[in-house]
Amino acid sequence: YFISIIYTTLFGNSILIRLLLEPLMPISFAILIVHLTNAGEGKGIVNKICRSKNGQFIGRISMSLYLIHMGIFGFFYAIGVIQLFPPLILPLLLLLTGVVSYGVTIWVEDPCRKKIRGLISNNGSIHTSQSALSAALEVKVLMENTESYVENT
């Protein structure tokens, strides 16, 4: 799919290319599934890619990469930058998407993950600074104090 998007961006929407590329997509995914099922045995090329440093890095930023890529590409498409010179712009947008995704991973995902893991204990119970019951009682007391203050003024 990604190959067909790049090709149509570079060379226009050709029905012949769609007829050639679309039947290859299910075959490509079937081959990918076979390689992924062999990944645990250490034989497949996908195993080598996923265990490499670059594969680990892509896996680390994959969620933010997934969430951000369409926004970046859509923005630059809307302002007309992609149409200027796609062979140069698309790699630069991929690089920009990777850098932004890495930043989101470092400054948003990792701190949130640490905070959430700090709230959950080993037995699965959630630790908070106070229980829900004590928080509800505090709100009730605050409401009562506010009502009595309003009545006295």
Side-chain angles (χ1 to χ4, degrees):
Y1 182 74
F2 186 68
I3 294 168
S4 63
I5 290 174
I6 291 174
Y7 191 85
T8 55
T9 303
L10 295 176
F11 302 108
N13 195 2
S14 170
I15 192 72
L16 179 62
I17 298 305
R18 282 190 69 184
L19 288 173
L20 292 174
L21 287 178
E22 285 186 15
L24 293 176
M25 293 303 146
I27 296 168
S28 301
F29 282 115
I31 293 169
L32 180 65
I33 289 170
V34 168
H35 282 291
L36 286 174
T37 55
N38 290 334
E41 299 171 12
K43 294 190 263 186
I45 191 168
V46 175
N47 182 22
K48 291 179 178 140
I49 292 170
C50 290
R51 291 179 186 259
S52 70
K53 270 189 152 183
N54 293 333
Q56 294 291 314
F57 176 74
I58 295 295
R60 182 169 182 225
I61 68 168
S62 64
M63 179 56 79
S64 58
L65 194 66
Y66 167 71
L67 293 173
I68 290 172
H69 80 283
M70 284 305 289
I72 291 176
F73 276 76
F75 173 75
F76 282 99
Y77 183 80
I79 63 173
V81 172
I82 292 179
Q83 294 84 355
L84 294 176
F85 190 62
L88 175 66
I89 300 298
L90 288 176
L92 290 175
L93 284 178
L94 287 173
L95 181 66
L96 176 67
T97 303
V99 169
V100 171
S101 298
Y102 181 70
V104 169
T105 300
I106 296 298
W107 292 309
V108 177
E109 278 188 56
D110 289 349
C112 289
R113 184 180 304 113
K114 288 176 186 172
K115 182 72 172 170
I116 290 170
R117 286 184 180 164
L119 294 175
I120 300 173
S121 69
N122 290 337
N123 64 1
S125 63
I126 297 176
H127 298 290
T128 59
S129 59
Q130 59 185 358
S131 70
L133 181 60
S134 64
L137 289 173
E138 280 185 31
V139 169
K140 181 182 175 194
V141 169
L142 285 172
M143 293 296 289
E144 289 171 353
N145 290 341
T146 305
E147 287 173 2
S148 65
Y149 176 77
V150 171
E151 290 173 2
N152 292 334
T153 56

